[in-house]
Amino acid sequence: MDVRAQLVMVFNLDKCLGCHTCSIACKNIWTDRRGAEYMWWNNVETKPGAGYPKFWEDQKRYKGGWVLRGDKLKLRAFSKLSTLLNIFYQPHMPRLEDYYHPWTYDYAKLYESPEESDQPVAEPISLISGEKIDIEFGPNWDDDLGGSPLYAEEDINLDERRIVTNFGSIFMFYLPRICNHCLNPACVAACPQRAIYKRGEDGIVLVDQNTCRGWRFCVTACPYKKVYYNWNTGKSEKCIFCYPRTETAQANACAHSCVGRIRYVGVVLYDADRIEDALKVKDEELVEAQRKIILDPRDEMVRKAAKENGVPDNWLEAALKSPAYALIKEYELALPLHPEFRTMPMTFYIPPLSPVLAVHRAIHDVEEHEEVPDKNLLRVPVRYLSKLFAGGNERVVTEALERLVALRKYMRARNVGEQPDEDSLRKAGLDAESAEKLYRLLTIASYNERYAIPSLHREYLDVTPSEERRGGSGFGISIRPRGGQ
């Protein structure tokens, strides 16, 4: 058993406002500079929709992630021969237009124009070339279902595309996205320069700017398209999980600034020996396989193995208080984004509840049902959610929704002085004590309850950059502190 620690972020999609405060906080800190104008390490998409870059989920187009060929995992886009042939050209990489052409406005015209009968206009100009441009697309171009016939209808997760143009069935929710800091990152495996590595002490995936040569294999290989090319420096860049903040036990900038308090950050322990086997199952089995490699931090054997592998005591204590572990493993609410890409992402999403469609009779609230209604009655189809978060496994999505519905019914009854329905709670796998804990975590949790981030002092770690990049398969490494600390 090879026990390692990973910092994980969980998103509660029921509470996302789509305000983009997280995106602006990230932009102001990390990508407000030349060459990074088009980069949004954190972005919030409207689903269904095209996303950023456009249609990033379509791997027939972008060739990202891994595929299972026989009993071996292979990069979808590359073999040894194709790596050599594509060393100077990436045919499946998104173009700038797929992200968007960054622009500003010629504000000088507003106060430098001579007196005229018409109001002067600040025309859009490119942030890259400085020339006038016609704006055709932006990072939130389809926000709130804007342009549904053009973009939302083309969402590959939809089985029935007309659903987003029919007023009676249209639905939407927000999907915040950062780099997933995967356990089996395709970007790490694809880099011929070994410039991308997964830190052994916290699992964060980083790009060594001194080593990167701008081959851009990582951009193609990442199925989530969260690695970007800086045209000014000629290097690749990506979300760094705000490690200068997390190393000092502070929440990530996107999480700290979140208005809806939808984000949770914590430590999970996992068995690295079982990653490869967990990825060699059918798409529908990937969620449960990923849950199985996440270990119970209260188990003495797990704690002992973690210490032997160099996991510090404060990280083990943080794992005990981790909201991420509770939501992912204990309550099985949070699900990975597109597990069928087989990168084993380490960001998780609690699927959103939704109103029930009024079909033949007036049904407006989920709570009117003893259980989650038939999937055909939910405004957000379970099938859609399963293709987004569960590799097509509708059962694990339904189970998560059942727990959310049972919790909502139970706490509503308690708050209005009615007799709580504990039978529904038990059917959903909860009891009164766990319902209280989950209710607090999802609603009124304090800062320290939402973020259980242990401090990290890299000066105590006996590791070199070359050791960190050892073994480009993407399964990470373990790092032992000096002096057994």
Side-chain angles (χ1 to χ4, degrees):
M1 185 165 57
D2 184 1
V3 181
R4 305 182 189 181
Q6 170 86 34
L7 275 179
V8 172
M9 187 177 290
V10 175
F11 304 80
N12 184 358
L13 298 185
D14 244 356
K15 298 170 67 177
C16 184
L17 308 174
C19 64
H20 304 280
T21 305
C22 51
S23 300
I24 298 301
C26 179
K27 187 71 176 174
N28 285 340
I29 295 174
W30 300 117
T31 59
D32 186 18
R33 51 195 157 76
R34 184 170 173 80
E37 300 91 346
Y38 77 100
M39 297 182 196
W40 293 85
W41 289 359
N42 180 108
N43 72 292
V44 181
E45 301 172 3
T46 297
K47 301 302 289 183
Y52 163 83
K54 278 186 284 190
F55 309 115
W56 60 269
E57 295 163 289
D58 186 358
Q59 301 314 322
K60 291 181 180 179
R61 176 178 181 178
Y62 289 124
K63 309 292 184 185
W66 302 81
V67 291
L68 192 60
R69 293 178 182 150
D71 63 344
K72 292 187 177 181
L73 287 168
K74 302 285 186 180
L75 289 171
R76 188 185 298 271
F78 304 113
S79 62
K80 289 183 179 180
L81 178 60
S82 62
T83 298
L84 181 62
L85 294 176
N86 293 328
I87 197 76
F88 296 113
Y89 173 62
Q90 295 295 326
H92 305 298
M93 190 177 72
R95 302 166 301 166
L96 182 61
E97 291 75 17
D98 292 320
Y99 296 97
Y100 75 107
H101 195 115
W103 75 88
T104 185
Y105 294 94
D106 187 5
Y107 295 107
K109 279 204 168 186
L110 298 179
Y111 54 85
E112 290 181 353
S113 295
E115 185 176 351
E116 296 177 349
S117 58
D118 297 324
Q119 177 74 21
V121 175
E123 297 176 298
I125 57 174
S126 168
L127 278 172
I128 296 176
S129 66
E131 300 175 354
K132 295 179 183 178
I133 61 170
D134 293 324
I135 301 172
E136 297 179 353
F137 191 75
N140 295 312
W141 204 252
D142 57 346
D143 207 16
D144 297 329
L145 292 175
S148 289
L150 291 175
Y151 302 114
E153 271 195 313
E154 299 302 316
D155 190 321
I156 66 169
N157 302 297
L158 284 172
D159 287 332
E160 191 176 356
R161 295 184 176 181
R162 70 179 180 84
I163 197 172
V164 294
T165 54
N166 181 352
F167 180 77
S169 61
I170 195 168
F171 70 92
M172 59 162 278
F173 60 90
Y174 299 111
L175 181 73
R177 294 205 302 123
I178 63 172
C179 169
N180 294 291
H181 300 278
C182 309
L183 294 188
N184 184 36
C187 58
V188 173
C191 180
Q193 198 70 24
R194 291 194 175 185
I196 307 185
Y197 60 98
K198 185 174 179 65
R199 298 207 313 185
E201 63 269 35
D202 54 15
I204 296 174
V205 177
L206 299 174
V207 182
D208 186 337
Q209 295 292 293
N210 293 322
T211 306
C212 179
R213 294 295 178 266
W215 299 119
R216 288 174 274 187
F217 285 90
C218 51
V219 180
T220 298
C222 176
Y224 305 96
K225 293 297 170 276
K226 280 298 178 180
V227 186
Y228 306 89
Y229 178 71
N230 186 310
W231 58 267
N232 184 50
T233 63
K235 311 282 187 180
S236 289
E237 299 181 7
K238 60 178 292 299
C239 161
I240 62 173
F241 208 73
C242 284
Y243 74 81
R245 295 176 61 92
T246 60
E247 285 183 357
T248 56
Q250 299 178 76
N252 316 60
C254 59
H256 188 89
S257 64
C258 178
V259 175
R261 297 186 176 184
I262 76 162
R263 301 185 186 220
Y264 304 83
V265 183
V267 176
V268 297
L269 304 176
Y270 66 93
D271 186 357
D273 284 340
R274 296 160 62 185
I275 293 176
E276 190 169 3
D277 289 338
L279 291 168
K280 292 181 178 180
V281 298
K282 297 177 182 178
D283 287 355
E284 296 82 3
E285 300 170 359
L286 284 166
V287 170
E288 292 172 315
Q290 185 166 349
R291 283 174 178 165
K292 286 179 181 177
I293 74 165
I294 296 175
L295 305 173
D296 186 349
R298 295 164 295 192
D299 188 312
E300 287 302 322
M301 290 184 62
V302 170
R303 295 175 67 84
K304 180 181 178 182
K307 286 185 177 182
E308 290 174 352
N309 217 19
V311 179
D313 287 339
N314 65 326
W315 278 66
L316 293 177
E317 293 308 307
L320 290 172
K321 300 181 291 184
S322 173
Y325 175 80
L327 295 170
I328 297 165
K329 186 69 180 276
E330 189 175 347
Y331 300 116
E332 296 186 345
L333 284 181
L335 304 168
L337 179 63
H338 285 297
E340 71 275 13
F341 296 161
R342 298 181 190 273
T343 61
M344 200 163 280
M346 284 286 105
T347 59
F348 295 80
Y349 296 82
I350 300 174
L353 283 175
S354 63
V356 180
L357 293 171
V359 181
H360 305 306
R361 56 194 176 120
I363 301 176
H364 301 289
D365 291 317
V366 173
E367 292 80 4
E368 294 182 24
H369 296 261
E370 292 299 319
E371 298 176 352
V372 174
D374 183 271
K375 62 184 179 182
N376 295 318
L377 290 182
L378 285 175
R379 184 170 284 274
V380 181
V382 171
R383 179 62 180 165
Y384 181 86
L385 294 173
S386 72
K387 293 178 76 173
L388 195 62
F389 300 120
N393 187 337
E394 295 183 28
R395 181 180 58 80
V396 295
V397 174
T398 301
E399 288 174 353
L401 295 177
E402 284 175 347
R403 290 188 182 92
L404 292 172
V405 170
L407 176 66
R408 183 172 292 192
K409 288 176 60 178
Y410 177 82
M411 294 307 301
R412 174 175 290 182
R414 283 201 45 187
N415 290 337
V416 299
E418 296 178 357
Q419 181 63 35
D421 183 2
E422 296 194 12
D423 287 339
S424 294
L425 209 59
R426 282 192 292 270
K427 287 179 182 178
L430 299 172
D431 55 30
E433 183 181 353
S434 61
E436 288 280 357
K437 179 181 176 182
L438 188 56
Y439 165 76
R440 179 173 180 84
L441 189 58
L442 295 179
T443 55
I444 57 173
S446 67
Y447 180 95
N448 290 329
E449 289 172 302
R450 286 181 287 120
Y451 310 125
I453 305 172
S455 59
L456 176 70
H457 298 282
R458 289 182 61 81
E459 62 268 25
Y460 296 129
L461 299 175
D462 187 12
V463 64
T464 63
S466 61
E467 287 174 326
E468 284 189 323
R469 292 191 295 275
R470 187 175 69 231
S473 66
F475 292 132
I477 62 167
S478 62
I479 296 179
R480 298 180 184 276
R482 287 197 187 104
Q485 295 182 7

